[in-house]
Amino acid sequence: MGHGVPELVLELNGQTWTLDPSRSYTLGRDPQGDMVLQDARVSWRHATVRWEGRSWVIEDHGSTNGTYVQGQRIHHMEIGPGSTVHLGNATDGPRLNLSAGAAGAGVGAPAADLYSAQTAMAAPLQQQAPPQQAPHQPPQHQQPGAWQQPGQQPQQYQQPQQGGWQQQPQQAYVPQQPGPGGHQPPAHGGTPSQGGAPPVYGDRSPTSFHQMAVGRGTMRIGRALENELVVSDLQVSRHHAEFRATGDGRFEIVDLGSHNGTYVNGQPVRQQVIGPNDIVGVGHSTFRLVGDRLEEFVDTGDVSFSARHLTVTVEGGKQILKDVSFGVPEKSLIAVIGPSGSGKSTLLKALTGYRPANQGDVLYDNRNLYKQFAELRQRIGLVPQDDILHKELTVRKALRYAAKLRFPGDTAASEREARIDEVLRELKLDIHKDKKVTALSGGQRKRVSVALELLTKPSLIFLDEPTSGLDPGMDRDVMQLLRGLADDGRTVLVVTHSVAELALCDKLLVMAPGGSVAYFGPPEEALNFFGYETWADVFSAFENYRDYDWSGRWRGSQHYQMYAADIDAVAPQSVHVQPQMVRPPKAQSWGSQLWTLMRRYASVIASDRGFMALMLILPAVLGGVSTVIPSDFGLGPATKGHFNQDAGTIMLILAVGMCFSGAANSVRELIKERVIYERERAVGLSRSAYLMSKVVVLGLITAVQGALICAIGFSVRKLPESGLIFKAAPAVELCLVIIALGFTCMMIGLVISALVKTAEKTMPLLVMFAIVQVVFTGILFKIYDSPGVEQVAWLMPARWAIAGSGTTLDLSHVMAPFDKSRPPKLDPLWEHTATQWGIDIVALIVIGVACGFAVARLLRRHEPEVMRK
């Protein structure tokens, strides 16, 4: 020890360390830490002990369940000999005992001893139970990792081969590990709660207990330290909810206006009396009242997951997913593979709740995902095949906007930044944080998509084709990343076409053509199960023998008895209970979401300089084209009968140019963000706030374009001496009509963007839209008094825009009549009155607003089915 530094010895779980003041010591469940604790109440990186020049201190790293000294939760505190610190719980959490250095103790633990201590503490605490093997004899256990033949040979099945048929090899390998349905004993040695209450988090015992004062008082829950029950979770508001005594010996839960909601049995509530069978959810924690004691269960990521008899039927009665059942334990990496048409995408949608199965259930640690989707969706991460981020932004800025949308509105900027930094370090993205997403490699972009999902600390992560389009090296890097996520305490399920790195997975689910299970079990046994040497041979067999009963072969195998029989034994529901349609709570208020979305959208546009330049050049060119016609808007010379046909032509060019500019601004904006919208909507994004952010930002851009077109187009013209509304400024009157036209066409562009399935289809529709507007302006031929044609023209924005400008310019008298042999009959929409001008403007706005409602309706198609309302 250095001179003047008091020697400090730390004792934990029977291990002792003599602390070196020249370094710090990390405590938590991370196997790479200095002091490893296998206790569910302890966070991954829970706290640090270090010398700060004057004293030893312990600092909590924002742990979920807290660090306590003398029953009080602390964040940064001086400690010394005689101090006692509890981690995760103030009374019975793992205890650190600090004492003065003993004689002969070395300075710091030797590296080998420290490694041995870590290994000992990180080792499993119990033997795993043998799997159920009915009707076959269970194998005798050997050394870990050993293999042996079962005592009774499995039934033989005919196996399709490329060159004919052969029998499956009689000797199958049987792994020494438990079946998928078994739960391990609680990591901290607790016992399941008694009293017949329903299980929470499988068979695990409560993380902590809180005594309730029957008949009086309240217990407030929240993130702030002044709450009676502090929950260090960024999904929880500072003052989230409180338990209140009702006076008759019961308690009720009252939501205090939290951002992410308070749930009872998976359903959002504002105020509800609770009983012993009710489960209250707040963030990643759930609570159950047993007598006068409140049991708390913290979801630290160690959750099991199972699907039972999932069946999806489409119109016509065709089943595209057939009776799929499988179960996985906690901290597992599961790969799903199969040929095209095997139902992998359908299965992923069913497992995540995006498209619930018609029959069957998805259980998140024994909780029905479909019935409790509103609460459990916060604990599930989904990384689609396409990147769920704006590629024009930097990595940090993209994560910053995502955190702003997903975390409660009362979350401080420093808290969000700390979580972002933590995720960047975990995924080794901190060196790329200031790069634009477009500058990253494919594997790095996928890491950023994963980082976005990890912000909210999900326990279950789904990925759809994360290695699609990546080279073998990046493929391996991504799969190793997923392996690390599972090892860190999460359950990860990946749908993939790549078979190169399947050995990294704990379980493999192989889907057969038609949507049934062909195999579920360890990946290293799969090829032997099918009797082929390569996966190419297996997939060829699927294609060549599509009518073969692959599912029946699987269900008759010993592997089925080992890995799926206990899950499959649960009787399926004959009719699936329709899940309750939920309106997801929003982490941010509507106004806050709108402001965040507007800022993000403006940042995305500003980052694309090419797009910015195009939006300015396009209206400038279109406005400039109109100046080629050397004419004013007044009457022509007497030799031409005082008519000026050029006036209408000039307005036709300006109006059609504005139609094209307005629609071009928006026609790709929804389709290119569709995947982002689908994911953000699932985690609480407001549909109307999202749409309004597009309308406001694009509306401002369109208004600038309209002003630019008018400024160029009118700069060389002689305008009427007075207007109808703005007497001294007829140019303003004309410009307002052009801007209103641009806004309405922008809304039509959003309708097109919401309708199409690919961005490539937008351009033909945009050109068609512009041409149709030319035809129905009323400039080229007579529209009024033409039955059918006139009514269709009422739906065209250009018709009303030309009418609005026609009222100001009095085009009915300036332009020559269409039939000069008859007395002129004026177009009623061009009447030279202020009232008619107002009617034309209102008609444009009504069309735009109607398009807005249509877009909102169309956006519903791209939301999780369970959330549609």
Side-chain angles (χ1 to χ4, degrees), residues 458-668:
S459 303
L460 185 61
I461 303 177
F462 294 92
L463 300 99
D464 187 11
E465 299 286 359
T467 60
S468 177
L470 302 184
D471 60 48
M474 290 184 180
D475 182 355
R476 180 181 58 192
D477 291 342
V478 171
M479 291 302 292
Q480 288 176 342
L481 165 67
L482 303 184
R483 177 71 264 172
L485 293 177
D487 293 338
D488 286 349
R490 306 174 183 94
T491 300
V492 183
L493 187 146
V494 53
V495 174
T496 180
H497 277 113
S498 175
V499 297
E501 304 296 334
L502 294 180
L504 292 173
C505 302
D506 299 298
K507 292 289 190 298
L508 175 65
L509 176 66
V510 182
M511 299 295 292
S516 58
V517 177
Y519 173 82
F520 177 73
E524 61 269 17
E525 299 178 48
L527 287 176
N528 180 71
F529 172 83
F530 286 108
Y532 292 101
E533 295 183 357
T534 67
W535 282 108
D537 293 333
V538 175
F539 278 47
S540 294
F542 282 149
E543 180 64 27
N544 295 332
Y545 305 102
R546 298 186 71 90
D547 295 332
Y548 181 75
D549 186 10
W550 295 99
S551 179
R553 178 182 180 277
W554 154 245
R555 293 178 185 273
S557 69
Q558 187 170 0
H559 281 78
Y560 171 80
Q561 297 295 332
M562 289 285 293
Y563 302 112
D566 55 347
I567 294 292
D568 217 19
V570 181
Q573 298 179 358
S574 57
V575 179
H576 185 269
V577 178
Q578 179 68 19
Q580 179 180 351
M581 300 302 174
V582 297
R583 178 178 297 182
K586 302 174 179 61
Q588 300 282 329
S589 65
W590 188 90
S592 179
Q593 280 198 19
L594 175 62
W595 178 240
T596 300
L597 291 167
M598 287 171 52
R599 289 168 54 202
R600 183 178 70 178
Y601 190 34
S603 297
V604 170
I605 293 176
S607 299
D608 191 344
R609 296 183 179 179
F611 183 66
M612 288 283 290
L614 182 62
M615 285 192 298
L616 293 176
I617 293 173
L618 181 62
V621 170
L622 295 173
V625 168
S626 70
T627 63
V628 176
I629 302 175
S631 179
D632 295 324
F633 285 115
L635 294 174
T639 57
K640 294 186 178 182
H642 297 281
F643 293 120
N644 183 3
Q645 198 69 30
D646 290 341
T649 304
I650 294 169
M651 287 309 305
L652 172 65
I653 294 173
L654 294 176
V656 173
M658 193 68 247
C659 283
F660 191 85
S661 294
N665 288 341
S666 60
V667 76
R668 291 175 180 263

Side-chain angles (χ1 to χ4, degrees), residues 810-828:
D810 196 13
L811 290 183
S812 292
H813 295 96
V814 170
M815 289 178 59
F818 289 106
D819 188 352
K820 297 182 180 180
S821 63
R822 298 181 180 182
K825 186 175 182 180
L826 305 182
D827 190 329

